[in-house]
Amino acid sequence: MRRAYTAIQLALLASMIAAPYMLFREARGGELLVFWVAVALLVGSLAVWYLRRVAGCGEG
Amino acid sequence: MNWVFIAVFTAYVLGGTLIALASRRYFLGTLREYYTSGGRIGALLTAGAYAATTYSAFMMIGLVGLSYNTGVGALGFELTYLASTVFLLSTLGYRVWGLSKKRGWISPSQMLSDLYGSRVLGLAVAVVYLFAMLPYLAAQIQGLEIIFEYGGLGEGVALVASALLIYGWIFVAGMWSVATTDLYQGVIMLASGLAYLAWILLALIPGLGVDLAGVATALSSSGYLGLTGFWAPPVFLAYTIPWMFFAVTNPQVVAKLYLPRDGRSYWRSVMYFFVYGLTYTLIAVLVGLLARGLAVLGRFPGSMPGDNVTPTLLAAMDPLLGSLVAISIIAAAVSTANSIVLAVSGSVLTSTSRRGNLLLARAIDAVLVAASTLLAWARIGVIVDLSVLTSVILLPLAPVTIAGVLLWEKTGRAGRLAALLSIVSGVSLATYYTATLGPRKAFTTQVLGMPISGLALLVSTIIITVGVWFS
């Protein structure tokens, strides 16, 4: 689980850097703003979920 | 003299001082309490301390200006930082927190020294912190002068007020007064940021005879909602790489990992910090983008240094709102600066003395604040320029910290030597290019097809990997 989590998060982080140049190079209408906010939200939600459910700090 | 500003500033100082004094009841008077609150802090205080420390005056001055000048790419750079920080907090940070409970660390250099079993390494890290953080502190204090100017206060008052605020709220109860005033300042920063954005949306834009749809169309047609020429891939990497590792390289935030009292406080603090960071980042970037949109429509100056955007907008606001936003920028700088002083002071103390005491800790704090204030006063350009490279100079600490935490007690003699070499070589590389090219040019210059930050990170990673392998 830990390895899968790390791999997914690293892929999401890499996409924040690479995707704008590969997929949104011509975008001008706010797509980039939506993309970066959406991925950041995904990374943050996954991190909190991981800490609570997997890393074991949900119970105090 | 702007008397509204003076009144709001006085209220801010009084409020913070009362909070700092109230926090003394929790302070048990030990050195560990002074530097880490004894690891007894709850989620809200930890998150407030982390957020206010991380987000400096750069957000409402630098990031607003960067968005105004370069478009939405600034959001990508800042959100990549936030996402990578939250990822690091959920993995490595949680492990550091757990180990800090067992080992009783009070400073990041002591942590590295303990992880590798080397006092020399701790000393080297403390020296790197001094080298990298003093210019950064001086730049924070110098930046505050612009805001005090808004209140009609001169350079001397600005320097003295900044130094007293930074030192005073540390002196009262160490981390307890820093964390409580950080939360207070974090609330001011977010509330004022929201008011700032609301003023642009509800007062400035309609007042200039345009609407939001028109501003958005202007931004889109001028390309500022896409990747502008500024954000070439190497430049994006030059900005992003040092910040992606901020959570494990900068002592003021590493030291915050020792604060939460239990696991529940830890994950909640990460969640609160994330929500705060996302909101605050969006506010700063939207303010900059809206200012650019107005400039495209000819309703706002179109070519000005980025750092002047917020001061220009402040001058157009109602004095009360302008003063609130100005105070929030002071709060952002003070909350960052006193955490830096505390973290560097703890590192110097634990690296040079086996038996520190509170008197010595407070004396080191005073020396650090005085030295950075003097540097700010002397206006030595290269010193302040050096602050641009602070994150690059600290970058070699990332692989060393990651390897040390993951391989604790398995680093061995070769690992110790590699950690030291890794830091020395990475810092030397960054310093060499700074000296030969100048800090600002060195930041975006490419060597071997990558930014200096990438090269420093690569070299230090290779060295530590080889060292750990041989261990």
Side-chain angles (χ1 to χ4, degrees), chain A residues 2 5-7 9-10 13-14 16-22 24-34 36-48 50-52 55-60, chain B residues 72-77 79-80 82-84 86-87 89-91 94 97 219-223 225-227 231-234 236-237 240 244 262-267 270-271 274 278 282 285-286 289:
Chain A
R2 279 165 205 258
Y5 168 76
T6 304
Q9 290 285 50
L10 288 177
L13 288 173
M16 290 183 87
I17 297 171
Y21 296 96
M22 296 164 73
F24 301 108
R25 190 176 278 275
E26 303 303 323
R28 290 177 142 220
E31 298 92 330
L32 264 177
L33 193 148
V34 173
W36 272 320
V37 172
V39 179
L41 270 171
L42 192 55
V43 172
S45 308
L46 269 175
V48 173
Y50 179 79
L51 276 171
R52 282 189 72 183
C57 62
E59 300 307 316
Chain B
V72 78
L75 177 74
F77 141 67
L79 282 187
T80 305
L82 177 65
S84 58
V86 173
F87 166 61
L89 289 177
S90 69
T91 48
Y94 181 55
W97 170 77
L219 277 171
S220 176
S221 59
S222 55
L225 288 181
L227 287 168
W231 291 109
F236 193 82
L237 284 175
T240 310
M244 285 184 79
D262 52 29
R264 191 180 168 86
S265 302
Y266 186 90
W267 77 257
V270 173
M271 181 172 68
F274 175 69
L278 187 62
L282 278 171
V285 172
L286 287 176
L289 286 175

Side-chain angles (χ1 to χ4, degrees), chain B residues 433-453:
Chain B
Y433 284 107
T434 305
T436 51
L437 301 172
R440 290 184 191 278
K441 197 174 173 196
F443 188 70
T444 48
T445 293
Q446 285 186 68
V447 178
L448 303 175
M450 62 182 98
I452 307 284
S453 53

Side-chain angles (χ1 to χ4, degrees), chain B residues 253-438:
Chain B
V253 286
V254 175
K256 295 289 185 291
L257 297 174
Y258 313 150
L259 305 190
R261 65 171 167 243
D262 52 29
R264 191 180 168 86
S265 302
Y266 186 90
W267 77 257
R268 285 189 173 208
S269 70
V270 173
M271 181 172 68
Y272 297 153
F273 164 70
F274 175 69
V275 172
Y276 186 104
L278 187 62
T279 313
Y280 201 52
T281 301
L282 278 171
I283 290 170
V285 172
L286 287 176
V287 166
L289 286 175
L290 290 170
R292 170 52 63 189
L294 289 171
V296 173
L297 293 171
R299 304 291 207 282
F300 189 75
S303 59
M304 66 164 84
D307 288 355
N308 289 357
V309 175
T310 285
T312 305
L313 288 168
L314 284 181
M317 283 179 198
D318 171 82
L320 182 60
L321 180 61
S323 299
L324 274 172
V325 176
I327 296 304
S328 81
I329 297 169
I330 293 176
V334 168
S335 57
T336 299
N338 57 16
S339 286
I340 292 173
V341 170
L342 206 55
V344 175
S345 151
S347 293
V348 171
L349 186 77
T350 51
S351 305
T352 54
S353 159
R354 282 182 191 274
R355 284 190 205 163
N357 57 53
L358 276 185
L359 193 67
L360 188 57
R362 284 177 165 140
I364 296 172
D365 295 344
V367 170
L368 289 172
V369 174
S372 49
T373 308
L374 276 175
L375 284 175
W377 173 74
R379 289 186 178 276
I380 304 168
V382 71
I383 296 289
V384 177
D385 276 359
L386 255 183
S387 67
V388 175
L389 280 187
T390 295
S391 52
V392 181
I393 294 169
L394 292 176
L395 200 50
L397 294 173
V400 173
T401 305
I402 293 169
V405 173
L406 295 180
L407 304 168
W408 179 51
E409 289 186 325
K410 295 175 200 156
T411 46
R413 200 171 167 182
R416 281 197 284 278
L417 185 64
L420 197 60
L421 268 178
S422 176
I423 291 171
V424 170
S425 56
V427 172
S428 303
L429 255 178
T431 310
Y432 168 76
Y433 284 107
T434 305
T436 51
L437 301 172

Side-chain angles (χ1 to χ4, degrees), chain B residues 161-176:
Chain B
S162 307
L164 286 177
L165 265 182
I166 293 167
Y167 185 67
W169 290 352
I170 300 173
F171 181 85
V172 176
M175 183 55 83
W176 279 104

